[in-house]
Amino acid sequence: MKLKSIILKNFRAYREQTVIPLDDLTAFIGKNDVGKSSILQAVGLFLGSDALKLDAGDRCVHSSETEVRIGCVFTQLPAELVIDVAARTTLADEHLLNADGDLELHQIFECRSGKVSEKGIVALAVHPRAQNAADLLLLTNAQLKLRAKDVGVDLQQVDQRSNVELRQAIRRTIGSLDPGPSEIPLNKEGGKEIWEQLMKELPVFALFRADRPCTDEDAEAQDPMQVAVRQAIAELSGELETVKTRVKERVLDVATRTVAKLKELDPKTGANLSPRFRAEPKWDAVFKLNLDSDDGIPLNKRGSGFRRLVLLSFFRAEAERQQTARGARGIIYAIEEPEASQHPENQALILDALTRLAANSGCQVLLTTHVPGLAGLLPTTSIRHVTRQADGTTSVSSGTDGMLKDVASDLGVLPDSRVRVLVCLEGPNDVKHLNHLARILRAADPTLPDLKHDPRLTLITLGGENLRQWVTQHYLRRTGLCELHIYDRGTSTPPKFQAACEEVNARTDRSAAFLTQKRELENYLHADAVEEALGVRVVIDDSANVGEAVAEAVHAAAPDAATPWSALDDEKQRKKTGHAKRRLNDEAAARMTLDRLIARSARDEVTEWLRAIAARLPAIEEPRTTHGGTHADQAHA
């Protein structure tokens, strides 16, 4: 199941009911102490994280109500629920879905007089309200039989052992069910049986907190390493059993001979003595594991940023182990301030890794941040702005230009005033790919522009942009700056962006636009670069759908690929293709060379784009001098 939104009411600073939509990757952005971490912890409380427990202090201090609610709305629901061997049902058949066809569950707590009691779990659903139909999930088997008899069900035609069949028969007999908004308790009778099955379908929740320590003695770091020890012990259990038996034989022999000698000295003293092992050997307590670098430096002596990266990796390993152990179909990674102690380059690498992680089937990533460098790299669709109101309560906004402007203002994500040329591409994948191609060509011709580091230009996307790109567009696109557009040709005739290119080329401000000669930038890749990066071999020509072909090949090559590509649902195919495209435009593009570009007949075309960009850049201004020296010289003097 996938978490679509979280609902908070009277929880900490969230006094009024607050619905917070979630994506595959969701970032909660705001100043310190506004309620970002509370959202992550609320998700963990609902999903039963062992590290979290609600207490009386979690009730909103600005409210007189004593009831606290944490709700979760789920999509991608199980096709059926197996109540027992003979009873199978669906959430739709039990009328447990809300008006949007989603499963909305609320966990309710009572916080009174400094004590917390759990009132239970309810489903908010469009449920039958007709007489004799509204309370069926609350009835025992005996009560359902009586109800069925009262409404006229032919019990000879129903398996009377199955509550599922009895409820279905009663509803069919009643006919007009008068469905409407209802709260259905799932902590009683039939509802409890359904909740027990739903708990098996819930995603695993793993929280990486900002304030945790970062040494190799931490439980989070030790646990995955100890798991590795336990797995090794399990694999070698036969050999270890032999060792244990031989040790026992040796020790028992010594013990037996010792008792015999004692009896010789004093028969009464030795009469009641017999050798016995007090406990089985605990192999996992014998083997301890630490991480040392090649030069012997232990982890707890390394820099805090490095330790945190290692611990974040342990966190992921442990979360995935829990997912496997539980057989869960999904996993939610909640990470507070992933940028903490990290260099800006590492921040970008971490975010890129989390973005790829969120693109995996069954994965969602929730994170918090208040750092401009990281926030600027986030996709705008993923951003949720968390703000503290004048009355001390918290609100969360998303999805509007006004919200993005507020985030940019709060965090100081500002455009570079040195920009003079806008290079407009379709999406973030194109930005990465073109940067790689420019690097390769510039190594052979230094007159070509450095797209990644030249402050006179900026690459922006016209779709799927991140916050920094949105800021750049918002502030710069109406300034009259020169623009150079590069659009995918695609497969349609005429090309989808033909008219847009003609419009840009008709301007009189030196702006220009190009259509790629091939289908899209993935078609400029060489098959060798793709194989080196992703481990699969595909045919690449000028019109192939490279992203989908690679996604299918990677899926087929996976060890657990029991389901053929054609049998995957559209959502899984879309995610796998998106993941493949991201890797192609970054990892495979990074492995391109000048010879490979020439082999794909791409060198001249890409060079033409880069020369067009260079021709529109103003000359680099030399530092002004006074009396023969630069300002820097004078300052140094």
Side-chain angles (χ1 to χ4, degrees):
M1 298 196 299
K2 178 179 177 180
L3 188 56
K4 179 180 180 180
S5 59
I6 180 79
I7 301 169
L8 305 178
K9 184 177 182 183
N10 206 28
F11 178 72
R12 299 187 183 174
Y14 297 88
R15 181 179 61 194
E16 305 301 327
Q17 179 161 302
T18 305
V19 181
I20 306 166
L22 304 177
D23 285 325
D24 293 336
L25 172 66
T26 308
F28 300 100
I29 296 178
K31 297 178 180 179
N32 285 326
D33 197 33
V34 295
K36 303 186 299 296
S37 297
S38 294
I39 299 171
L40 305 190
Q41 292 171 24
V43 176
L45 282 165
F46 185 96
L47 294 176
S49 171
D50 293 336
L52 298 169
K53 187 174 181 63
L54 189 135
D55 59 46
D58 288 318
R59 182 179 69 84
C60 181
V61 298
H62 304 286
S63 171
S64 58
E65 294 184 23
T66 58
E67 183 180 278
V68 174
R69 283 193 178 225
I70 299 175
C72 286
V73 180
F74 295 97
T75 60
Q76 299 180 16
L77 306 174
E80 68 174 6
L81 296 175
V82 182
I83 304 302
D84 57 47
V85 176
R88 296 171 182 264
T89 188
T90 69
L91 292 167
D93 286 346
E94 298 294 349
H95 301 272
L96 287 174
L97 302 180
N98 66 15
D100 296 323
D102 300 322
L103 177 64
E104 181 174 344
L105 302 173
H106 287 211
Q107 198 167 19
I108 307 173
F109 302 89
E110 184 72 23
C111 298
R112 190 189 300 272
S113 302
K115 296 182 180 180
V116 176
S117 59
E118 187 171 348
K119 294 178 68 174
I121 190 93
V122 298
L124 273 67
V126 179
H127 195 77
R129 296 179 299 185
Q131 185 178 3
N132 292 323
D135 60 347
L136 295 182
L137 279 172
L138 308 181
L139 302 183
T140 64
N141 182 263
Q143 291 169 329
L144 283 170
K145 290 175 186 176
L146 288 175
R147 179 69 56 82
K149 184 177 180 181
D150 289 344
V151 300
V153 172
D154 183 355
L155 292 176
Q156 300 302 316
Q157 304 298 317
V158 179
D159 182 353
Q160 297 180 43
R161 298 168 300 173
S162 170
N163 291 358
V164 170
E165 285 198 33
L166 286 167
R167 288 194 294 266
Q168 291 173 346
I170 293 168
R171 291 173 187 136
R172 285 195 301 268
T173 302
I174 292 173
S176 180
L177 299 176
D178 185 27
S182 307
E183 285 195 2
I184 314 302
L186 295 183
N187 55 338
K188 298 179 181 178
E189 196 51 33
K192 185 176 182 180
E193 295 170 352
I194 291 173
W195 174 235
E196 288 173 351
Q197 297 305 313
L198 284 174
M199 284 194 291
K200 299 175 183 178
E201 304 283 345
L202 294 177
V204 168
F205 177 83
L207 175 63
F208 186 84
R209 306 177 93 147
D211 56 357
R212 66 176 61 195
C214 297
T215 73
D216 58 349
E217 296 302 319
D218 301 334
E220 292 89 345
Q222 282 291 326
D223 192 35
M225 288 189 285
Q226 288 305 107
V227 169
V229 169
R230 288 195 293 270
Q231 289 174 341
I233 289 171
E235 292 173 5
L236 299 172
S237 60
E239 297 173 44
L240 291 175
E241 189 65 30
T242 300
V243 171
K244 183 179 73 173
T245 300
R246 293 183 64 184
V247 170
K248 279 187 173 183
E249 289 173 352
R250 292 280 186 90
V251 174
L252 286 172
D253 177 61
V254 172
T256 301
R257 285 187 284 110
T258 300
V259 171
K261 294 300 179 184
L262 180 60
K263 287 181 179 180
E264 290 178 7
L265 294 173
D266 185 351
K268 293 182 179 179
T269 302
N272 296 322
L273 294 178
S274 60
R276 174 177 64 85
F277 280 95
R278 290 191 299 173
E280 289 292 305
K282 295 182 178 180
W283 297 109
D284 56 349
V286 174
F287 299 98
K288 298 292 184 181
L289 182 65
N290 289 321
L291 288 183
D292 291 346
S293 57
D294 292 340
D295 49 10
I297 301 174
L299 178 62
N300 60 7
K301 304 301 181 185
R302 300 294 297 271
S304 59
F306 180 81
R307 295 200 308 269
R308 190 170 173 83
L309 278 180
V310 173
L311 191 54
L312 181 58
S313 300
F314 285 149
F315 157 76
R316 285 185 53 194
E318 173 63 4
E320 289 165 11
R321 183 190 68 80
Q322 291 180 16
Q323 181 189 19
T324 302
R326 279 181 44 182
R329 299 184 181 181
I331 186 167
I332 297 175
Y333 297 96
I335 305 173
E336 293 185 23
E337 301 176 17
E339 72 282 351
S341 304
Q342 299 302 316
H343 184 277
E345 289 185 2
N346 270 6
Q347 292 178 13
L349 291 174
I350 290 172
L351 183 58
D352 188 56
L354 294 178
T355 301
R356 292 198 306 270
L357 184 65
N360 292 337
S361 180
C363 285
Q364 287 180 271
V365 175
L366 312 179
L367 60 90
T368 67
T369 187
H370 51 75
V371 173
L374 188 69
L377 300 173
L378 288 163
T380 55
T381 54
S382 296
I383 293 174
R384 306 292 181 268
H385 191 202
V386 185
T387 53
R388 181 66 55 83
Q389 307 303 302
D391 62 358
T393 61
T394 292
S395 65
V396 182
S397 56
S398 63
T400 67
D401 276 1
M403 182 273 294
L404 294 171
K405 189 173 181 179
D406 289 342
V407 170
S409 176
D410 273 3
L411 273 61
V413 184
L414 300 174
D416 195 322
S417 61
R418 297 171 291 178
V419 172
R420 292 294 176 267
V421 176
L422 304 180
V423 181
C424 304
L425 303 169
E426 288 187 54
N429 287 336
D430 297 330
V431 171
K432 288 185 177 180
H433 196 137
L434 189 59
N435 273 324
H436 286 303
L437 299 187
R439 172 184 50 79
I440 295 165
L441 291 170
R442 193 169 186 272
D445 182 358
T447 66
L448 297 176
D450 183 349
L451 300 188
K452 198 167 186 179
H453 301 106
D454 194 323
R456 297 170 297 167
L457 62 87
T458 187
L459 278 63
I460 66 173
T461 61
L462 303 180
E465 71 275 2
N466 62 37
L467 180 62
R468 184 174 295 159
Q469 292 163 337
W470 178 88
V471 170
T472 301
Q473 289 189 61
H474 185 84
Y475 286 99
L476 299 182
R477 289 192 67 196
R478 291 178 176 82
T479 61
L481 295 178
C482 182
E483 299 175 12
L484 192 132
H485 297 244
I486 302 173
Y487 295 127
D488 292 339
R489 176 170 293 277
T491 57
S492 59
T493 304
K496 178 180 177 181
F497 295 110
Q498 180 72 52
C501 282
E502 292 173 355
E503 182 180 334
V504 172
N505 286 324
R507 296 180 189 171
T508 58
D509 61 357
R510 300 184 69 225
S511 292
F514 294 90
L515 277 175
T516 61
Q517 293 176 12
K518 307 180 193 300
R519 174 174 176 157
E520 53 192 348
L521 282 182
E522 290 98 294
N523 298 81
Y524 290 71
L525 294 170
H526 194 284
D528 290 348
V530 173
E531 186 171 16
E532 288 175 11
L534 285 87
V536 296
R537 189 80 182 181
V538 296
V539 175
I540 299 178
D541 57 31
D542 290 355
S543 59
N545 187 337
V546 180
E548 185 173 294
V550 168
E552 184 173 356
V554 170
H555 172 76
D560 56 348
T563 305
W565 176 264
S566 58
L568 297 178
D569 59 43
D570 291 344
E571 172 73 8
K572 287 185 178 179
Q573 286 192 6
R574 181 188 65 79
K575 276 203 164 189
K576 286 178 177 287
T577 299
H579 186 58
K581 288 171 74 71
R582 278 185 287 274
R583 294 189 65 190
L584 285 168
N585 286 287
D586 191 5
E587 298 171 40
R591 287 168 171 77
M592 288 294 286
T593 63
L594 187 60
D595 288 342
R596 287 172 176 177
L597 274 172
I598 293 171
R600 288 293 300 126
S601 302
R603 177 183 184 177
D604 292 344
E605 181 186 0
V606 179
T607 299
E608 182 184 4
W609 303 341
L610 298 177
R611 290 200 184 285
I613 295 170
R616 286 157 175 80
L617 293 174
I620 298 177
E621 296 181 5
E622 295 294 335
R624 290 181 297 170
T625 61
T626 304
H627 302 300
T630 65
H631 289 305
D633 292 334
Q634 296 171 40
H636 180 71

